[in-house]
């Protein structure tokens, strides 16, 4: 702020969880306070969105890497191992996007609960719906495998392992 030719910092009020936030921004020429704050807000918004997108991409990359051992195992297949490995990596990329989105929305939603509860609640509802959908899918796949009788019964295998551990 310019007070009679002396340049100083602007300090925010104790609202919106930014007590003591100071701003020292200088621009060439005459710039109105509204124009200065609008420009600073626009640059901070761009930085925030960039960081959110980067964090989402890192989460997505992490979920994709969980399928890394599957692609290595596929490379052991003679003649077609390399092609299978590439296919598994591609499928893992697509399959890992929804859980990565859910995790990102969950984290962003928790942060937004403090600042704007409506936005935070909406993001947490999307997170909850995605998690619920994933659990419903797993439950339905488990039921289908029991009905098909393909011999894969995770609960029975767990009970057998527990019984053998007790003996």
């Amino acid at each position: 702020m310019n007070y009679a030719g002396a340049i100083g910092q602007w300090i925010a009020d104790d609202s919106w969880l930014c007590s003591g936030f100071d701003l020292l921004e200088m621009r060439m020429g005459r710039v109105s306070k509204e124009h200065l704050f609008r420009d600073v807000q626009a640059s901070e918004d761009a930085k925030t969105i960039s960081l959110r997108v980067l964090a989402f991409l890192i989460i997505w990359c992490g979920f994709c890497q969980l399928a890394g051992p599957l692609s290595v195992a596929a490379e052991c297949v003679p003649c077609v191992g390399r092609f299978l490995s590439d296919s598994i990596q591609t499928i893992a990329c697509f399959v890992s996007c929804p859980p990565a989105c859910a995790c990102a929305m969950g984290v962003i939603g928790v942060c937004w609960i403090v600042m704007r509860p409506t936005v935070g609640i909406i993001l947490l509802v999307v997170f909850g719906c995605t998690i619920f959908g994933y659990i419903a899918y797993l439950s339905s796949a488990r039921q289908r495998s029991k009905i098909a009788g393909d011999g894969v019964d995770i609960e029975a295998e767990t009970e057998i392992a527990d019984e053998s551990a007790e003996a």
Side-chain angles (χ1 to χ4, degrees):
M1 302 300 283
N2 185 350
Y3 296 108
I7 299 174
Q9 293 179 334
W10 175 83
I11 299 176
D13 296 332
D14 291 338
S15 63
W16 283 83
L17 301 174
C18 60
S19 63
F21 173 76
D22 60 341
L23 176 66
L24 185 58
E25 184 83 20
M26 296 182 68
R27 301 285 167 99
M28 296 280 295
R30 288 186 78 96
V31 179
S32 69
K33 183 168 66 172
E34 291 80 22
H35 185 72
L36 173 71
F37 279 101
R38 187 178 60 235
D39 288 349
V40 170
Q41 182 67 44
S43 69
E44 290 298 317
D45 288 345
K47 184 174 22 172
T48 300
I49 290 171
S50 299
L51 288 173
R52 286 180 185 157
V53 169
L54 178 66
F56 166 71
L57 291 174
I58 290 171
I59 292 170
W60 190 8
C61 182
F63 275 101
C64 288
Q65 295 304 312
L66 290 174
L70 294 175
S71 63
V72 171
E75 286 182 6
C76 295
V77 176
C79 299
V80 294
R82 182 169 170 237
F83 301 110
L84 284 176
S85 175
D86 291 343
S87 297
I88 288 174
Q89 288 176 346
T90 303
I91 291 169
C93 182
F94 285 109
V95 169
S96 64
C97 186
C101 285
C103 286
M105 293 233 183
V107 171
I108 294 169
V110 167
C111 294
W112 271 102
I113 284 288
V114 176
M115 299 299 278
R116 292 188 183 162
T118 307
V119 174
I121 289 171
I122 291 170
L123 290 171
L124 289 176
V125 165
V126 171
F127 169 72
C129 289
T130 306
I131 296 300
F132 176 75
Y134 179 68
I135 292 170
Y137 171 76
L138 286 179
S139 175
S140 122
R142 188 173 288 161
Q143 291 296 329
R144 278 184 279 159
S145 71
K146 285 181 182 179
I147 292 171
D150 59 2
V152 178
D153 188 2
I154 296 172
E155 292 172 4
E157 289 178 6
T158 306
E159 290 175 8
I160 292 171
D162 290 340
E163 290 172 3
S164 64
E166 291 174 0

